[in-house]
Amino acid sequence: MRFNEKVVIVTGGGSGIGETSARLFAAEGASVVIADWNEEDGQRVAASLNAEFPSKMMPRAVALKTDVSREEDSVALMEYTMQTFGRLDVLFNNAAVIHPKPIEEITEHNFDRLMAVNLKGVYLTIKHAIPLLRRTKGSIVNMASLGGIVGQRNNPIYAASKGGLIALTKSLALDFAPDGVRVNCVCPAGVSTPLLEAWTMEQPDPAAAAKSLADMHPLGRPATPEEVAQSVLYLASEHASFVTGVALPVEGGASLGY
Ligand code: ADP
């Protein structure tokens, strides 16, 4: 129960890795705020956490419709968290969008929107969460990607956003270290989530794409959302009390052997 009486915000907590992480945080005692753009998904996850992990004192989980790319939504998210739970211990920035296409097929609007969610959204949530995290000596975990370290074919702007996110993570780890607030990110390769499934289906030969995706990982398959979420919980927890500014690969060896 590493997160007993801790309060955790999960952006993009309405599906995939975010939902799985929210469930693991709740299972270890946390109260969770699901901040997803998709209100229905957010409410569904909050309701299922409340049913699965009932808490006598407070709701186990709440959801707030949040577009992380809008500053007023970040401000409202922090106000709602403080009104509901009175503190914030962990911010997990997981909300993201993806445009897995050659650069000529990516519109300027696609680029602007992707950067607004994947990079500006993290800047905004951290900007408004940090005063609360300083009070609790909390921690921040960002969802980056192996593509942000080594590049990724046919996914240039997503990889660029994640490379930027890794630099943001390291820079803020330096800035917040004197406050006792740690900042880390995880870097998965393939993860079996709706994002990846959408990418696979968009390929000319989806079955071949699924096979080459499995072969890309020396461990022979993409990660499960749970395997990535466990790394998120580790970095967020006191077990990682001397770990800050890392971009932790969680990629089944995908970057090895070159
Ligand atoms: P993954 O599991 O890799 O995080 P998903 O596509 O399952 O991939 O999850 C991404 C989540 O981020 C979704 O729940 C989606 O609704 C959410 N999301 C996307 N854009 C925004 C946004 N602007 N603000 C908040 N949440 C967002």
Side-chain angles (χ1 to χ4, degrees):
M1 297 297 270
R2 287 174 291 182
F3 297 95
N4 242 344
E5 295 179 13
K6 306 274 189 203
V7 177
V8 179
I9 292 177
V10 180
T11 75
S15 76
I17 298 166
E19 175 176 359
T20 304
S21 305
R23 177 157 284 102
L24 295 184
F25 276 120
E28 291 211 37
S31 298
V32 184
V33 182
I34 309 288
D36 204 291
W37 184 59
N38 185 321
E39 190 169 23
E40 208 181 304
D41 279 350
Q43 295 294 350
R44 175 185 56 77
V45 172
S48 86
L49 296 186
N50 284 319
E52 210 173 322
F53 309 105
S55 156
K56 284 198 190 85
M57 312 288 288
M58 294 188 284
R60 170 68 62 200
V62 291
L64 185 70
K65 182 176 163 59
T66 308
D67 180 346
V68 294
S69 69
R70 290 161 49 100
E71 186 154 28
E72 58 268 41
D73 283 21
S74 282
V75 172
L77 175 62
M78 301 314 149
E79 282 173 4
Y80 183 66
T81 301
M82 289 308 277
Q83 277 162 15
T84 311
F85 296 118
R87 61 186 286 142
L88 177 65
D89 297 278
V90 174
L91 171 64
F92 175 31
N93 286 302
N94 170 74
V97 293
I98 189 165
H99 286 291
K101 291 180 181 161
I103 199 161
E104 305 96 303
E105 292 173 28
I106 297 170
T107 65
E108 185 179 5
H109 173 76
N110 292 155
F111 179 95
D112 287 344
R113 183 68 193 149
L114 183 140
M115 291 298 169
V117 177
N118 297 11
L119 200 48
K120 184 176 129 185
V122 176
Y123 139 73
L124 287 172
T125 44
I126 294 178
K127 177 179 172 183
H128 293 289
I130 191 62
L132 311 181
L133 291 169
R134 283 195 181 105
R135 288 185 215 162
T136 57
K137 298 200 184 303
S139 83
I140 299 170
V141 182
N142 297 322
M143 177 54 62
S145 166
L146 182 63
I149 304 174
V150 301
Q152 190 179 7
R153 276 188 196 89
N154 275 318
N155 210 1
I157 62 168
Y158 179 82
S161 74
K162 297 301 186 178
L165 184 51
I166 292 166
L168 184 71
T169 300
K170 293 183 179 188
S171 303
L172 293 178
L174 285 168
D175 288 343
F176 300 153
D179 303 315
V181 176
R182 297 177 302 103
V183 191
N184 293 290
C185 62
V186 294
C187 298
V191 189
S192 308
T193 66
L195 263 176
L196 188 75
E197 274 146 35
W199 176 85
T200 308
M201 294 316 291
E202 278 181 34
Q203 301 312 297
D205 182 346
K211 170 147 190 348
S212 76
L213 191 77
D215 292 346
M216 194 177 100
H217 307 82
L219 290 179
R221 58 173 177 81
T224 64
E226 178 152 331
E227 287 168 325
V228 179
Q230 289 292 2
S231 303
V232 172
L233 264 78
Y234 162 68
L235 289 172
S237 78
E238 279 302 304
H239 286 171
S241 55
F242 208 57
V243 180
T244 196
V246 306
L248 179 67
V250 188
E251 34 73 307
S255 63
L256 300 176
Y258 290 93

